[in-house]
Amino acid sequence: SDLPPLSDRRVLRGGHELIDQRVAFELGAMSVATGTPGAGKSTFTTWVVHHVSKHEQIRVGLMSFETHPHRTRDHLARLSMHMPFDQLTGHHRKALLDDIDNRFRIVHRTYDQDTGHNLGWLESMVYTLAVRDNCKLIIVDPWNELEHLPEPGESLTNYIGFALQRIRQLAEKLEVHICVVAHPKKMDMNGGKPRAPLGYDIADSAAFSNKPSLGFSVHQDKTENGAKYIKIITWKVRDTQLYGIEKGHSNAAFDINAMDYSTLIMGDEDGEI
């Protein structure tokens, strides 16, 4: 009875079977995504937030430092209009731009002499996206592209733990969800191919596994006959009852022309990790 008044807990969902099996973005919390290089973690994340934005009627802030903004625009065009952006003309192009202008904000880094892209800059951008632009979901992709400046004598591990705590507190204060995409460390080979990275495999700190409310990986694998498929692995779920998902994995097929994912039934989907 003495608890202070708090907002009701809200979880953002995608309204898509594959997404809602593996991902749930709680407002006021932070998630971490990872994956082997080239597995498509940025592509998958963009696909997810496209569906979440439409399903929840929210605006998304994209801080995609390794993805050209035109590539992001083309990805959204293929998902919304089922064709590349450059092939859209007239009212079709205008309809797309009106739609994604309403649903997305893309942060562009500038390289002015006095501008540093460090933790303080990240916090100011998150604040702007949340307060000025009313974004409820913010993607930081990737963490490794930021300038990290530990205090003299401070280890990188301690710095990352502090930085992720600041990001989590900022998400709670602004009632948004912040998803941090981070690269894994160099992985051991498993039978000649890299194994799927999990939370403790992310470079530089175990805090990437300990701090988030949700953690997931995007991993490219092959069947016995050599066909490629995508494995979506959820390795951290802080509140299974609220989120409605558990740790495990689902298999997906990826259509490179449509930039779209679909559930792939292989007999072991939604398995344990």
Side-chain angles (χ1 to χ4, degrees):
S1 62
D2 290 335
L3 288 175
L6 297 171
S7 300
D8 291 336
R9 298 178 70 185
R10 180 184 175 188
V11 177
L12 303 177
R13 306 188 189 278
H16 186 286
E17 178 188 18
L18 178 60
I19 297 172
D20 294 338
Q21 283 179 345
R22 298 273 63 95
V23 178
F25 296 131
E26 181 187 359
L27 296 187
M30 177 188 72
S31 62
V32 169
T34 191
T36 47
K41 51 187 177 292
S42 298
T43 301
F44 178 77
T45 304
T46 301
W47 175 76
V48 168
V49 301
H50 162 75
H51 283 282
V52 171
S53 174
K54 275 188 170 294
H55 184 70
E56 297 285 352
Q57 293 294 297
I58 61 162
R59 182 172 290 161
V60 176
L62 290 175
M63 306 176 72
S64 302
F65 306 133
E66 291 183 336
T67 305
H68 195 287
H70 288 183
R71 177 175 171 81
T72 300
R73 183 180 63 185
D74 182 71
H75 190 172
L76 296 173
R78 291 170 187 262
L79 291 173
S80 295
M81 309 298 285
H82 309 295
M83 60 193 310
F85 180 80
D86 290 343
Q87 294 182 14
L88 294 174
T89 58
H91 70 277
H92 291 106
R93 176 172 287 197
K94 183 180 185 304
L96 172 74
L97 292 175
D98 287 345
D99 176 49
I100 60 179
D101 279 348
N102 182 55
R103 294 192 294 121
F104 290 93
R105 290 291 182 270
I106 298 177
V107 173
H108 298 267
R109 285 188 297 182
T110 60
Y111 294 93
D112 300 333
Q113 193 170 19
D114 297 331
T115 301
H117 303 108
N118 50 30
L119 182 61
W121 174 83
L122 175 65
E123 290 181 346
S124 68
M125 290 298 101
V126 169
Y127 185 87
T128 299
L129 288 170
V131 176
R132 186 192 70 185
D133 295 328
N134 197 31
C135 294
K136 288 298 183 183
L137 174 58
I138 298 171
I139 308 298
V140 180
D141 179 15
W143 169 262
N144 313 67
E145 275 290 303
L146 294 169
E147 299 171 14
H148 300 296
L149 305 172
E151 294 293 329
E154 181 183 22
S155 70
L156 185 58
T157 298
N158 288 340
Y159 162 80
I160 290 176
F162 164 77
L164 292 180
Q165 182 177 352
R166 288 280 296 269
I167 292 173
R168 189 173 67 181
Q169 291 171 345
L170 190 61
E172 184 176 359
K173 175 183 177 181
L174 298 175
E175 294 189 352
V176 300
H177 185 95
I178 302 174
C179 177
V180 176
V181 180
H183 293 318
K185 59 190 176 184
K186 186 176 180 180
M187 301 293 294
D188 297 329
M189 302 298 283
N190 180 17
K193 61 182 181 180
R195 64 177 177 83
L198 305 179
Y200 287 116
D201 297 312
I202 298 175
D204 299 324
S205 177
F208 286 108
S209 183
N210 299 331
K211 296 291 186 183
S213 63
L214 177 86
F216 63 95
S217 301
V218 180
H219 183 66
Q220 189 176 98
D221 211 336
K222 293 182 179 181
T223 62
E224 293 182 358
N225 63 10
K228 294 180 180 180
Y229 69 97
I230 306 298
K231 183 178 288 186
I232 311 302
I233 306 167
T234 304
W235 41 262
K236 174 72 175 291
V237 183
R238 177 156 290 164
D239 192 332
T240 57
Q241 291 179 325
L242 178 66
Y243 295 179
I245 60 176
E246 296 182 353
K247 292 191 293 183
H249 75 264
S250 298
N251 300 318
F254 177 60
D255 183 338
I256 192 170
N257 292 317
M259 298 292 279
D260 198 8
Y261 293 82
S262 58
T263 301
L264 182 64
I265 305 300
M266 298 177 59
D268 65 339
E269 69 279 2
D270 200 30
E272 293 299 318
I273 62 173

